[in-house]
Amino acid sequence: LTVLVYSIIGMLVLNVARILVDKLVLYKFSTESEIINDHNVGTGAVECGIFIALSLVIAGSISGSSGGPSATIAFGILGLIVLVMYTFFYQFTTPYDIHAQISENNAAVGVALAGNLIAIGIVIFKAVFGEFVSWEASLSEFFTFAVIGFALLFIVRRVIDLVLFPTVKVSDELAIDKNIGVGLIMSSSVISASLILFFAV
């Protein structure tokens, strides 16, 4: 019964949060129209990344019971805020316009963004996972992991650019050549880095 209730509530929260995040992540166009009418693979990839990232945020926020509903809701909201903030950070540190590329059905850019969303979702899961100790300790740990996650994923993206693709620029491969292979490498690398952080700390 508990699993059933959690599952139903989780699905409701997940879909409500997805609609909210859609409006904040891919806010320059309608994701429904891009997927259904234009068959936009890049938008579909980002939507997949959003669902997985939000699932991780929700799972982490309900993992501890000692903080009560207030802690669950507070850290769930904080997780959503960090997730959205990371997409703005990602756009700020990326030379091309993500919305313009994805709206032009650039699957490579969509896959790269989806991987980054999943990666930051894993970081947020780690930040909010576990039993609630105190507001001060839990908030301090949360923001520490958030900052580390932002920095780690940014560094990993730069290392990939310099080490794995020394003769080309990853941004050009994604935005100009629409190289989905590079998008997949970028995604798998940042997800792997976030998993290393998850298990190492």
Side-chain angles (χ1 to χ4, degrees):
L1 182 60
T2 302
V3 172
L4 177 63
V5 171
Y6 267 108
S7 298
I8 293 172
I9 294 173
M11 285 187 286
L12 291 173
V13 172
L14 179 62
N15 279 280
V16 171
R18 191 268 306 169
I19 294 169
L20 177 63
V21 172
D22 265 356
K23 301 298 183 184
L24 297 172
V25 175
L26 297 178
Y27 57 88
K28 291 186 179 180
F29 52 78
S30 168
T31 54
E32 281 189 23
S33 176
E34 288 292 322
I35 293 172
I36 296 171
N37 299 328
D38 299 336
H39 303 166
N40 191 321
V41 176
T43 304
V46 175
E47 197 78 348
C48 175
I50 288 173
F51 266 117
I52 295 172
L54 287 173
S55 299
L56 290 166
V57 171
I58 294 169
S61 64
I62 65 174
S63 61
S65 58
S66 56
S70 60
T72 298
I73 295 170
F75 283 102
I77 293 172
L78 283 173
L80 291 176
I81 292 171
V82 170
L83 180 63
V84 173
M85 285 178 61
Y86 181 77
T87 61
F88 288 110
F89 174 75
Y90 182 82
Q91 174 63 90
F92 179 74
T93 56
T94 303
Y96 51 82
D97 186 337
I98 293 170
H99 288 88
Q101 291 293 327
I102 294 176
S103 66
E104 293 171 4
N105 207 1
N106 188 333
V109 169
V111 167
L113 176 56
N116 275 271
L117 288 170
I118 295 170
I120 197 64
I122 293 170
V123 172
I124 297 170
F125 177 80
K126 178 67 174 180
V128 299
F129 181 80
E131 292 296 328
F132 179 84
V133 179
S134 68
W135 283 106
E136 183 179 350
S138 296
L139 287 172
S140 175
E141 183 178 357
F142 176 84
F143 287 114
T144 299
F145 268 105
V147 171
I148 291 173
F150 275 50
L152 173 68
L153 298 182
F154 176 75
I155 291 169
V156 169
R157 285 161 50 203
R158 291 294 172 263
V159 169
I160 293 169
D161 214 336
L162 295 172
V163 177
L164 294 184
F165 302 99
T167 59
V168 297
K169 290 182 67 175
V170 169
S171 59
D172 289 344
E173 289 294 313
L174 294 174
I176 298 174
D177 297 334
K178 300 182 178 181
N179 190 330
I180 197 167
V182 173
L184 289 168
I185 291 172
M186 176 69 75
S187 291
S188 59
S189 298
V190 292
I191 292 172
S192 298
S194 64
L195 286 171
I196 290 171
L197 175 65
F198 181 89
F199 288 109
V201 179

